[in-house]
Structure formats: structure tokens, C-alpha cells
Coordinates of all heavy atoms in Angstrom, one line a residue:
M1 N 192.7 -45.4 124.8 CA 191.8 -46.4 125.4 C 191.0 -45.6 126.5 O 191.6 -44.9 127.3 CB 192.6 -47.5 126.1 CG 191.7 -48.5 126.8 SD 192.6 -49.9 127.6 CE 192.9 -50.9 126.1
I2 N 189.7 -45.8 126.6 CA 188.9 -45.2 127.6 C 188.5 -46.3 128.6 O 188.8 -47.5 128.4 CB 187.7 -44.5 127.0 CG1 186.8 -45.5 126.3 CG2 188.1 -43.4 126.1 CD1 185.5 -44.9 125.8
K3 N 188.0 -45.9 129.8 CA 187.7 -46.8 130.9 C 186.8 -47.9 130.4 O 187.1 -49.1 130.8 CB 187.0 -46.0 132.0 CG 186.8 -46.8 133.2 CD 186.2 -45.8 134.3 CE 185.7 -46.5 135.5 NZ 185.1 -45.6 136.5
S4 N 185.8 -47.7 129.6 CA 184.9 -48.8 129.2 C 185.6 -49.8 128.3 O 185.4 -51.0 128.4 CB 183.7 -48.2 128.5 OG 184.0 -47.5 127.3
E5 N 186.6 -49.3 127.5 CA 187.4 -50.2 126.7 C 188.3 -51.1 127.5 O 188.5 -52.2 127.2 CB 188.2 -49.4 125.6 CG 187.4 -48.7 124.6 CD 188.2 -47.8 123.7 OE1 189.3 -47.4 124.0 OE2 187.6 -47.5 122.6
L6 N 188.9 -50.5 128.5 CA 189.7 -51.2 129.5 C 188.9 -52.3 130.2 O 189.4 -53.5 130.2 CB 190.3 -50.3 130.5 CG 191.1 -50.9 131.7 CD1 192.3 -51.7 131.1 CD2 191.5 -49.9 132.7
I7 N 187.7 -52.0 130.6 CA 186.9 -53.0 131.3 C 186.5 -54.1 130.3 O 186.6 -55.3 130.7 CB 185.6 -52.3 131.9 CG1 186.0 -51.4 133.0 CG2 184.6 -53.3 132.3 CD1 185.0 -50.4 133.5
A8 N 186.2 -53.7 129.1 CA 185.8 -54.8 128.1 C 187.0 -55.7 127.8 O 186.8 -56.9 127.7 CB 185.3 -54.1 126.8
K9 N 188.2 -55.1 127.7 CA 189.4 -55.9 127.4 C 189.7 -56.9 128.6 O 190.0 -58.0 128.3 CB 190.6 -55.0 127.1 CG 191.8 -55.7 126.7 CD 191.8 -56.2 125.3 CE 193.1 -56.7 124.9 NZ 193.1 -57.5 123.7
L10 N 189.6 -56.4 129.8 CA 189.8 -57.2 130.9 C 188.7 -58.3 131.0 O 189.1 -59.5 131.4 CB 189.8 -56.4 132.2 CG 191.0 -55.4 132.4 CD1 190.8 -54.5 133.6 CD2 192.3 -56.2 132.6
A11 N 187.5 -58.0 130.7 CA 186.4 -59.0 130.7 C 186.7 -60.1 129.7 O 186.5 -61.3 129.9 CB 185.1 -58.4 130.5
E12 N 187.2 -59.7 128.5 CA 187.5 -60.6 127.5 C 188.7 -61.6 127.9 O 188.6 -62.8 127.6 CB 187.9 -59.8 126.2 CG 188.3 -60.7 125.0 CD 188.8 -59.8 123.9 OE1 188.0 -58.8 123.5 OE2 189.9 -60.0 123.4
E13 N 189.7 -61.0 128.6 CA 190.8 -61.8 129.0 C 190.6 -62.7 130.2 O 191.3 -63.6 130.6 CB 192.0 -60.9 129.2 CG 192.5 -60.2 128.0 CD 193.6 -59.2 128.3 OE1 194.0 -59.0 129.4 OE2 194.1 -58.6 127.3
N14 N 189.5 -62.3 131.0 CA 189.2 -63.0 132.2 C 187.7 -63.4 132.2 O 186.9 -62.9 132.9 CB 189.4 -62.1 133.4 CG 190.9 -61.7 133.5 OD1 191.7 -62.5 133.9 ND2 191.2 -60.5 133.1
P15 N 187.4 -64.5 131.4 CA 186.0 -64.9 131.3 C 185.4 -65.4 132.6 O 184.1 -65.5 132.7 CB 186.0 -65.9 130.2 CG 187.4 -66.4 130.2 CD 188.2 -65.3 130.6
H16 N 186.2 -65.8 133.6 CA 185.7 -66.3 134.8 C 185.1 -65.2 135.8 O 184.5 -65.4 136.8 CB 186.7 -67.1 135.6 CG 188.0 -66.3 135.9 ND1 188.9 -66.0 134.9 CD2 188.4 -65.8 137.0 CE1 189.9 -65.3 135.5 NE2 189.6 -65.1 136.8
L17 N 185.4 -63.9 135.4 CA 184.9 -62.8 136.2 C 183.8 -62.1 135.4 O 183.8 -62.0 134.2 CB 186.0 -61.7 136.4 CG 187.3 -62.2 137.2 CD1 188.3 -61.2 137.1 CD2 186.9 -62.5 138.6
T18 N 182.8 -61.6 136.2 CA 181.7 -60.9 135.5 C 182.2 -59.4 135.2 O 183.1 -58.9 135.8 CB 180.5 -60.8 136.4 OG1 180.8 -60.0 137.6 CG2 180.0 -62.2 136.9
Q19 N 181.5 -58.8 134.3 CA 181.8 -57.5 133.9 C 181.6 -56.5 135.1 O 182.4 -55.6 135.3 CB 181.0 -57.0 132.7 CG 181.5 -55.6 132.2 CD 181.2 -55.4 130.7 OE1 181.0 -56.4 130.0 NE2 181.3 -54.2 130.3
R20 N 180.6 -56.8 135.8 CA 180.3 -56.0 137.0 C 181.4 -56.0 138.0 O 181.8 -55.0 138.6 CB 179.0 -56.4 137.7 CG 178.7 -55.6 138.9 CD 177.3 -55.9 139.5 NE 176.4 -55.0 138.7 CZ 175.2 -55.3 138.4 NH1 174.7 -56.5 138.7 NH2 174.4 -54.5 137.7
D21 N 182.0 -57.2 138.2 CA 183.1 -57.3 139.1 C 184.3 -56.6 138.6 O 185.0 -55.9 139.4 CB 183.5 -58.8 139.3 CG 182.5 -59.6 140.1 OD1 181.7 -59.0 140.9 OD2 182.5 -60.8 140.0
I22 N 184.6 -56.6 137.3 CA 185.7 -55.9 136.7 C 185.5 -54.4 136.8 O 186.5 -53.7 137.2 CB 185.9 -56.4 135.3 CG1 186.4 -57.9 135.3 CG2 187.0 -55.5 134.6 CD1 186.4 -58.5 133.9
E23 N 184.3 -54.0 136.6 CA 184.0 -52.5 136.7 C 184.3 -52.1 138.2 O 184.8 -51.0 138.4 CB 182.5 -52.3 136.4 CG 182.2 -52.3 134.9 CD 180.7 -52.1 134.6 OE1 180.0 -51.6 135.5 OE2 180.3 -52.5 133.5
R24 N 183.9 -52.9 139.1 CA 184.1 -52.6 140.5 C 185.5 -52.5 140.9 O 186.0 -51.5 141.5 CB 183.4 -53.6 141.4 CG 183.0 -53.1 142.8 CD 182.2 -54.1 143.6 NE 180.9 -54.3 142.9 CZ 180.3 -55.5 142.7 NH1 180.9 -56.6 143.1 NH2 179.1 -55.6 142.1
V25 N 186.3 -53.4 140.4 CA 187.8 -53.5 140.7 C 188.5 -52.2 140.1 O 189.2 -51.6 140.7 CB 188.4 -54.8 140.1 CG1 189.9 -54.7 140.2 CG2 187.9 -56.0 141.0
V26 N 188.2 -52.0 138.8 CA 188.8 -50.8 138.1 C 188.4 -49.5 138.9 O 189.2 -48.6 139.1 CB 188.3 -50.7 136.6 CG1 188.7 -49.4 136.0 CG2 189.0 -51.9 135.9
G27 N 187.1 -49.4 139.2 CA 186.6 -48.2 140.0 C 187.3 -48.1 141.3 O 187.7 -46.9 141.7
V28 N 187.5 -49.2 142.0 CA 188.2 -49.1 143.3 C 189.7 -48.7 143.2 O 190.2 -47.8 143.9 CB 188.1 -50.4 144.1 CG1 189.1 -50.5 145.3 CG2 186.7 -50.7 144.5
I29 N 190.3 -49.2 142.2 CA 191.7 -48.9 141.9 C 191.9 -47.4 141.6 O 192.7 -46.7 142.2 CB 192.3 -49.7 140.8 CG1 192.5 -51.2 141.3 CG2 193.7 -49.2 140.3 CD1 192.9 -52.1 140.2
L30 N 191.0 -46.9 140.7 CA 191.1 -45.5 140.3 C 190.7 -44.6 141.5 O 191.4 -43.5 141.7 CB 190.2 -45.2 139.1 CG 190.6 -45.9 137.8 CD1 189.6 -45.6 136.7 CD2 192.0 -45.4 137.4
E31 N 189.7 -45.0 142.3 CA 189.4 -44.2 143.5 C 190.5 -44.1 144.5 O 190.8 -43.1 145.1 CB 188.1 -44.8 144.1 CG 187.6 -44.0 145.3 CD 187.2 -42.5 144.9 OE1 186.8 -42.3 143.8 OE2 187.4 -41.6 145.8
R32 N 191.2 -45.2 144.7 CA 192.3 -45.2 145.7 C 193.4 -44.3 145.2 O 194.1 -43.7 146.0 CB 192.8 -46.6 145.9 CG 191.9 -47.6 146.6 CD 191.5 -47.1 148.0 NE 190.6 -48.0 148.6 CZ 189.2 -47.8 148.7 NH1 188.7 -46.7 148.2 NH2 188.5 -48.7 149.3
M33 N 193.7 -44.3 143.9 CA 194.7 -43.5 143.3 C 194.3 -42.0 143.5 O 195.2 -41.2 143.9 CB 194.9 -43.8 141.8 CG 195.5 -45.1 141.5 SD 195.5 -45.6 139.8 CE 196.6 -44.4 139.1
I34 N 193.1 -41.7 143.3 CA 192.6 -40.3 143.5 C 192.7 -39.9 144.9 O 193.2 -38.8 145.3 CB 191.1 -40.1 143.0 CG1 191.1 -40.3 141.5 CG2 190.5 -38.8 143.4 CD1 189.7 -40.4 140.9
Q35 N 192.3 -40.8 145.9 CA 192.4 -40.5 147.3 C 193.9 -40.2 147.7 O 194.2 -39.3 148.5 CB 191.9 -41.6 148.1 CG 190.4 -41.7 148.0 CD 189.8 -42.9 148.8 OE1 190.5 -43.8 149.2 NE2 188.5 -43.0 148.9
A36 N 194.8 -41.0 147.2 CA 196.2 -40.8 147.5 C 196.7 -39.5 147.0 O 197.4 -38.8 147.7 CB 197.1 -41.9 146.8
L37 N 196.3 -39.1 145.8 CA 196.7 -37.8 145.3 C 196.0 -36.6 146.0 O 196.6 -35.6 146.3 CB 196.3 -37.7 143.8 CG 197.1 -38.6 142.9 CD1 196.6 -38.6 141.5 CD2 198.6 -38.3 142.9
E38 N 194.8 -36.8 146.5 CA 194.1 -35.8 147.3 C 194.8 -35.5 148.6 O 194.8 -34.3 149.0 CB 192.7 -36.3 147.6 CG 191.7 -36.1 146.5 CD 190.3 -36.6 146.9 OE1 190.2 -37.4 147.8 OE2 189.3 -36.0 146.3
T39 N 195.4 -36.5 149.2 CA 196.1 -36.3 150.4 C 197.6 -35.8 150.2 O 198.3 -35.8 151.2 CB 196.1 -37.6 151.3 OG1 196.7 -38.6 150.6 CG2 194.7 -38.0 151.6
G40 N 197.9 -35.5 149.0 CA 199.3 -35.0 148.7 C 200.3 -36.1 148.5 O 201.5 -35.9 148.4
G41 N 199.8 -37.4 148.4 CA 200.7 -38.5 148.1 C 201.1 -38.7 146.7 O 200.8 -37.8 145.9
R42 N 201.7 -39.8 146.4 CA 202.2 -40.1 145.1 C 201.8 -41.5 144.8 O 201.7 -42.4 145.6 CB 203.7 -39.9 145.1 CG 204.5 -40.4 144.0 CD 206.0 -40.2 144.3 NE 206.8 -41.1 143.5 CZ 207.5 -40.8 142.5 NH1 207.5 -39.6 142.1 NH2 208.2 -41.7 141.8
V43 N 201.4 -41.7 143.5 CA 201.1 -43.1 143.0 C 202.1 -43.5 142.0 O 202.3 -42.9 141.0 CB 199.7 -43.1 142.4 CG1 199.3 -44.5 141.8 CG2 198.6 -42.6 143.3
E44 N 202.8 -44.6 142.4 CA 203.8 -45.1 141.5 C 203.5 -46.5 141.0 O 203.2 -47.4 141.8 CB 205.2 -45.2 142.2 CG 206.3 -45.6 141.3 CD 207.7 -45.6 142.0 OE1 207.8 -44.8 142.9 OE2 208.5 -46.3 141.6
L45 N 203.4 -46.7 139.7 CA 203.2 -48.0 139.1 C 204.5 -48.4 138.3 O 204.8 -47.8 137.3 CB 202.0 -47.9 138.1 CG 200.7 -47.5 138.7 CD1 199.7 -47.2 137.7 CD2 200.2 -48.4 139.8
R46 N 205.3 -49.3 138.9 CA 206.6 -49.6 138.4 C 206.5 -50.0 136.9 O 205.6 -50.8 136.5 CB 207.2 -50.8 139.1 CG 207.5 -50.5 140.6 CD 208.8 -49.7 140.6 NE 209.0 -49.2 142.0 CZ 210.1 -49.1 142.6 NH1 211.2 -49.4 141.9 NH2 210.2 -48.6 143.8
G47 N 207.3 -49.5 136.1 CA 207.4 -49.8 134.7 C 206.4 -48.9 133.9 O 206.6 -48.8 132.7
F48 N 205.4 -48.3 134.5 CA 204.5 -47.5 133.8 C 204.8 -46.0 134.1 O 205.0 -45.2 133.1 CB 203.0 -47.8 134.3 CG 202.0 -47.0 133.6 CD1 201.7 -47.1 132.2 CD2 201.3 -46.0 134.3 CE1 200.8 -46.4 131.6 CE2 200.3 -45.2 133.7 CZ 200.1 -45.4 132.3
G49 N 204.8 -45.6 135.3 CA 205.1 -44.2 135.7 C 204.6 -43.8 137.0 O 204.1 -44.7 137.8
A50 N 204.7 -42.5 137.3 CA 204.3 -42.0 138.6 C 203.4 -40.8 138.5 O 203.6 -40.0 137.6 CB 205.5 -41.7 139.5
L51 N 202.3 -40.8 139.3 CA 201.4 -39.6 139.4 C 201.7 -38.9 140.7 O 201.9 -39.5 141.7 CB 200.0 -40.1 139.3 CG 199.5 -40.6 138.0 CD1 198.3 -41.5 138.2 CD2 199.1 -39.4 137.2
S52 N 201.7 -37.6 140.6 CA 201.9 -36.7 141.8 C 201.1 -35.5 141.6 O 200.5 -35.2 140.5 CB 203.4 -36.4 142.0 OG 203.9 -35.8 141.0
V53 N 201.1 -34.6 142.6 CA 200.4 -33.3 142.5 C 201.4 -32.2 142.6 O 202.3 -32.2 143.4 CB 199.4 -33.2 143.7 CG1 198.7 -31.9 143.6 CG2 198.4 -34.3 143.6
R54 N 201.2 -31.3 141.7 CA 202.1 -30.1 141.7 C 201.3 -28.8 141.9 O 200.1 -28.8 141.5 CB 202.9 -29.9 140.4 CG 203.9 -31.0 140.2 CD 205.0 -30.6 139.3 NE 206.0 -31.6 139.2 CZ 206.9 -31.7 138.3 NH1 207.0 -30.8 137.3 NH2 207.9 -32.6 138.4
S55 N 201.8 -27.9 142.6 CA 201.1 -26.6 142.8 C 201.5 -25.6 141.8 O 202.7 -25.4 141.4 CB 201.5 -26.1 144.2 OG 201.1 -27.0 145.2
R56 N 200.5 -24.9 141.3 CA 200.7 -23.8 140.4 C 200.4 -22.5 141.1 O 199.3 -22.4 141.7 CB 199.8 -23.9 139.2 CG 200.0 -25.1 138.3 CD 201.0 -24.8 137.2 NE 201.4 -26.0 136.5 CZ 200.9 -26.6 135.5 NH1 199.7 -26.1 135.0 NH2 201.4 -27.7 134.9
D57 N 201.3 -21.5 141.1 CA 201.1 -20.2 141.7 C 200.0 -19.4 141.0 O 199.8 -19.6 139.8 CB 202.4 -19.4 141.8 CG 203.4 -20.1 142.6 OD1 203.0 -20.8 143.6 OD2 204.6 -19.9 142.4
A58 N 199.4 -18.5 141.7 CA 198.5 -17.5 141.0 C 199.3 -16.7 140.0 O 200.5 -16.4 140.2 CB 197.9 -16.6 142.1
R59 N 198.6 -16.3 139.0 CA 199.3 -15.6 137.9 C 198.3 -14.7 137.1 O 197.0 -14.9 137.3 CB 200.0 -16.5 136.9 CG 199.1 -17.4 136.2 CD 199.8 -18.4 135.3 NE 198.9 -19.4 134.7 CZ 198.2 -19.2 133.7 NH1 198.2 -18.1 133.0 NH2 197.4 -20.2 133.2
A60 N 198.8 -13.8 136.3 CA 197.9 -13.1 135.4 C 197.8 -13.8 134.1 O 198.9 -14.0 133.5 CB 198.5 -11.6 135.3
G61 N 196.6 -14.1 133.7 CA 196.5 -14.8 132.4 C 195.9 -13.8 131.4 O 195.7 -12.6 131.7
R62 N 195.5 -14.3 130.2 CA 194.9 -13.5 129.2 C 193.8 -14.2 128.5 O 193.9 -15.4 128.2 CB 196.0 -13.2 128.1 CG 195.5 -12.2 127.1 CD 196.6 -11.9 126.1 NE 197.0 -13.1 125.3 CZ 196.3 -13.4 124.2 NH1 195.3 -12.8 123.8 NH2 196.7 -14.5 123.5
N63 N 192.6 -13.6 128.4 CA 191.5 -14.1 127.7 C 191.8 -14.1 126.2 O 192.0 -13.1 125.6 CB 190.2 -13.3 128.0 CG 189.0 -13.9 127.3 OD1 189.1 -14.5 126.3 ND2 187.9 -13.6 127.9
P64 N 191.9 -15.3 125.6 CA 192.4 -15.4 124.2 C 191.4 -14.7 123.2 O 191.7 -14.3 122.1 CB 192.5 -16.9 123.9 CG 191.7 -17.6 124.9 CD 191.7 -16.6 126.1
R65 N 190.1 -14.7 123.6 CA 189.1 -14.1 122.7 C 189.1 -12.6 122.7 O 189.1 -12.0 121.6 CB 187.7 -14.6 123.1 CG 186.6 -14.1 122.2 CD 185.3 -14.7 122.5 NE 185.4 -16.2 122.2 CZ 184.5 -17.1 122.4 NH1 183.3 -16.7 123.0 NH2 184.6 -18.3 122.0
T66 N 189.3 -12.0 123.9 CA 189.3 -10.5 124.0 C 190.6 -9.9 124.2 O 190.8 -8.7 124.0 CB 188.3 -10.1 125.2 OG1 188.9 -10.6 126.4 CG2 186.9 -10.6 125.0
G67 N 191.6 -10.7 124.7 CA 192.9 -10.1 125.0 C 193.0 -9.5 126.3 O 194.0 -9.0 126.8
E68 N 191.9 -9.5 127.1 CA 191.8 -8.9 128.4 C 192.5 -9.7 129.4 O 192.6 -10.9 129.4 CB 190.3 -8.8 128.7 CG 190.0 -8.3 130.1 CD 188.5 -8.3 130.4 OE1 187.7 -8.4 129.5 OE2 188.2 -8.4 131.6
S69 N 193.2 -9.0 130.3 CA 193.9 -9.6 131.4 C 193.0 -10.2 132.4 O 192.0 -9.6 132.8 CB 194.9 -8.6 132.1 OG 195.6 -9.2 133.1
V70 N 193.3 -11.5 132.9 CA 192.4 -12.2 133.8 C 193.3 -12.8 134.9 O 194.4 -13.3 134.6 CB 191.7 -13.4 133.1 CG1 190.8 -14.1 134.1 CG2 190.9 -12.9 131.9
D71 N 192.8 -12.7 136.2 CA 193.6 -13.3 137.3 C 193.3 -14.8 137.3 O 192.1 -15.2 137.3 CB 193.2 -12.6 138.6 CG 193.7 -11.2 138.7 OD1 194.7 -10.9 138.1 OD2 193.0 -10.4 139.4
V72 N 194.3 -15.6 137.4 CA 194.2 -17.0 137.5 C 194.6 -17.4 138.9 O 195.8 -17.1 139.3 CB 195.0 -17.8 136.4 CG1 194.9 -19.3 136.6 CG2 194.6 -17.3 135.0
R73 N 193.8 -18.1 139.6 CA 194.1 -18.4 141.0 C 195.1 -19.5 141.1 O 195.2 -20.3 140.2 CB 192.8 -18.6 141.8 CG 192.1 -19.8 141.4 CD 190.7 -19.9 142.2 NE 190.0 -21.1 141.7 CZ 190.0 -22.3 142.3 NH1 190.8 -22.5 143.3 NH2 189.3 -23.3 141.8
A74 N 195.7 -19.7 142.3 CA 196.6 -20.8 142.5 C 195.8 -22.1 142.5 O 194.6 -22.1 142.9 CB 197.3 -20.6 143.9
K75 N 196.4 -23.2 142.1 CA 195.7 -24.4 142.0 C 196.7 -25.6 142.1 O 197.9 -25.4 141.9 CB 194.9 -24.5 140.8 CG 195.6 -24.4 139.5 CD 194.7 -24.4 138.3 CE 195.4 -23.9 137.1 NZ 194.4 -23.7 136.0
H76 N 196.2 -26.8 142.3 CA 196.9 -28.0 142.3 C 196.6 -28.8 141.0 O 195.4 -28.9 140.7 CB 196.6 -28.9 143.5 CG 196.9 -28.2 144.8 ND1 198.2 -28.0 145.3 CD2 196.1 -27.6 145.7 CE1 198.2 -27.3 146.4 NE2 196.9 -27.1 146.7
V77 N 197.6 -29.3 140.4 CA 197.3 -30.1 139.1 C 198.0 -31.4 139.2 O 199.1 -31.5 139.8 CB 197.8 -29.3 137.9 CG1 197.0 -28.0 137.7 CG2 199.2 -28.9 138.0
P78 N 197.4 -32.4 138.6 CA 198.1 -33.7 138.5 C 199.3 -33.7 137.6 O 199.2 -33.0 136.6 CB 197.0 -34.7 138.0 CG 196.1 -33.8 137.3 CD 196.1 -32.5 137.9
F79 N 200.3 -34.5 137.9 CA 201.5 -34.5 137.1 C 201.9 -36.0 136.9 O 201.9 -36.7 137.8 CB 202.7 -33.8 137.7 CG 204.0 -33.8 137.0 CD1 204.2 -33.1 135.8 CD2 205.0 -34.7 137.4 CE1 205.4 -33.2 135.1 CE2 206.2 -34.8 136.7 CZ 206.4 -34.0 135.6
F80 N 202.2 -36.4 135.6 CA 202.6 -37.7 135.3 C 204.0 -37.8 134.8 O 204.3 -37.0 133.9 CB 201.6 -38.3 134.3 CG 202.0 -39.7 133.8 CD1 201.8 -40.8 134.7 CD2 202.6 -39.9 132.6 CE1 202.2 -42.1 134.3 CE2 203.0 -41.2 132.2 CZ 202.8 -42.3 133.0
K81 N 204.8 -38.7 135.3 CA 206.1 -38.9 134.8 C 206.2 -40.3 134.4 O 206.0 -41.2 135.2 CB 207.2 -38.6 135.9 CG 208.6 -38.8 135.4 CD 209.6 -38.4 136.4 CE 211.0 -38.6 135.7 NZ 212.1 -38.5 136.6
S82 N 206.5 -40.6 133.1 CA 206.5 -41.9 132.6 C 207.7 -42.7 133.2 O 208.8 -42.1 133.5 CB 206.6 -41.9 131.1 OG 207.7 -41.3 130.6
G83 N 207.5 -44.0 133.3 CA 208.6 -44.9 133.8 C 209.5 -45.2 132.7 O 209.3 -45.1 131.5
K84 N 210.7 -45.7 133.1 CA 211.8 -46.1 132.2 C 211.3 -47.2 131.2 O 211.5 -47.0 130.0 CB 213.0 -46.6 132.9 CG 214.1 -47.0 132.1 CD 215.3 -47.4 132.9 CE 216.4 -47.9 132.0 NZ 217.5 -48.5 132.8
E85 N 210.6 -48.2 131.7 CA 210.2 -49.3 130.8 C 209.2 -48.8 129.8 O 209.2 -49.2 128.6 CB 209.5 -50.4 131.6 CG 209.1 -51.6 130.8 CD 208.5 -52.7 131.7 OE1 208.9 -52.8 132.8 OE2 207.6 -53.4 131.2
L86 N 208.2 -47.9 130.2 CA 207.3 -47.3 129.2 C 208.0 -46.5 128.1 O 207.7 -46.7 126.9 CB 206.3 -46.5 130.0 CG 205.2 -45.7 129.1 CD1 204.4 -46.7 128.3 CD2 204.4 -44.8 129.9
R87 N 208.9 -45.7 128.5 CA 209.7 -44.9 127.6 C 210.4 -45.8 126.6 O 210.5 -45.5 125.4 CB 210.6 -43.9 128.3 CG 210.0 -42.7 128.9 CD 211.0 -41.7 129.4 NE 212.0 -42.2 130.2 CZ 211.9 -42.3 131.6 NH1 210.8 -41.9 132.2 NH2 212.9 -42.8 132.3
E88 N 211.1 -46.8 127.1 CA 211.8 -47.7 126.3 C 210.9 -48.4 125.3 O 211.3 -48.6 124.1 CB 212.6 -48.7 127.1 CG 213.8 -48.1 127.8 CD 214.5 -49.1 128.8 OE1 213.9 -50.2 129.0 OE2 215.5 -48.7 129.3
R89 N 209.8 -48.9 125.7 CA 208.8 -49.6 124.8 C 208.3 -48.6 123.7 O 208.1 -49.0 122.6 CB 207.7 -50.2 125.6 CG 208.2 -51.4 126.3 CD 207.1 -52.1 127.1 NE 206.1 -52.7 126.2 CZ 205.1 -53.4 126.6 NH1 204.9 -53.6 127.8 NH2 204.2 -53.8 125.7
L90 N 208.0 -47.4 124.1 CA 207.5 -46.4 123.1 C 208.6 -46.1 122.1 O 208.2 -45.7 120.9 CB 207.1 -45.1 123.8 CG 205.8 -45.3 124.7 CD1 205.5 -44.0 125.4 CD2 204.6 -45.7 123.9
N91 N 209.9 -46.2 122.4 CA 210.9 -45.8 121.5 C 211.7 -47.0 121.0 O 212.9 -46.8 120.6 CB 211.9 -44.8 122.2 CG 211.1 -43.5 122.5 OD1 210.6 -42.8 121.6 ND2 211.1 -43.1 123.8
A92 N 211.2 -48.1 121.1 CA 211.9 -49.4 120.7 C 212.3 -49.4 119.3 O 213.3 -50.0 118.9 CB 211.0 -50.6 121.0
D93 N 211.5 -48.8 118.4 CA 211.8 -48.9 116.9 C 212.8 -47.8 116.5 O 213.2 -47.9 115.3 CB 210.5 -48.8 116.1 CG 209.8 -47.5 116.4 OD1 210.0 -46.9 117.5 OD2 209.0 -47.1 115.5
E94 N 213.3 -47.0 117.3 CA 214.2 -45.9 116.9 C 215.6 -46.3 117.1 O 216.0 -47.1 117.7 CB 213.9 -44.6 117.7 CG 212.6 -44.0 117.3 CD 212.3 -42.8 118.1 OE1 213.2 -42.3 118.9 OE2 211.2 -42.3 118.0

């Protein structure tokens, strides 16, 4: 599901709201999540999972096309850990 599909589904389920209002709400929620991660915080949605930021050290990489060694700088990357309820629902048929 992409953002526009989420907005369309929410608009379908909530006919009393305009699509513009739903777009604004979804945008605000995502922006607040990004702001929390930017400041080094964590975003936890009970039953769904948690987003946090992890640091990756600088390392020597390899260009797959040429095989040449390349320096990869240190960076911060988002990390998602699924919640217990999500894992259980995904594995319910096993």
C-alpha cells in the first residue's frame, strides 16, 4: 500500500471527511514521526511496531560494477521492529 492508497481507503471509510482533510492528517502524522526520528527519538505504535534510528559506522565498500574499493561514510538509518500483534497476525495460518 502506498500513501495515496491509504488516503483513498480512509476517505472511503470516512465519508464525512474530505479527501483534503485526510491528506492533511496523514501528512501531519508522518511529519511528526519523521521529526521524532530526526531528534534521535523513537516512534512506537502499539501492536504494529517501533521505528528508531541506528548508526552505521564508516566502512570500506566495493563498487559492484568495477570491483573497486570505495569508502562509505558513517550514517544514520531508520530501523523498524515489528510488534508482537503484527507478527502473530502475519503468522496466524502456520
Side-chain angles (χ1 to χ4, degrees):
M1 176 179 285
I2 60 175
K3 185 176 174 182
S4 60
E5 291 172 343
L6 173 63
I7 291 168
K9 184 73 171 166
L10 289 171
E12 180 183 306
E13 293 175 1
N14 298 284
H16 60 285
L17 297 172
T18 65
Q19 185 153 346
R20 175 171 278 146
D21 289 339
I22 293 171
E23 286 176 18
R24 203 172 297 132
V25 168
V26 169
V28 167
I29 290 171
L30 294 175
E31 183 60 32
R32 295 297 180 261
M33 291 171 66
I34 291 168
Q35 288 174 352
L37 294 172
E38 279 180 335
T39 60
R42 172 182 153 103
V43 176
E44 183 176 334
L45 303 171
R46 295 281 171 147
F48 180 71
L51 286 158
S52 60
V53 177
R54 291 202 174 167
S55 297
R56 297 263 168 93
D57 294 331
R59 62 183 173 84
R62 186 180 66 83
N63 181 332
R65 185 171 291 175
T66 64
E68 178 182 334
S69 182
V70 179
D71 290 330
V72 179
R73 62 186 180 94
K75 58 186 166 185
H76 300 287
V77 295
F79 176 76
F80 176 74
K81 181 175 181 188
S82 62
K84 181 180 177 184
E85 184 179 327
L86 175 61
R87 284 192 307 271
E88 288 173 352
R89 286 182 66 177
L90 292 175
N91 295 301
D93 60 336
E94 292 179 4

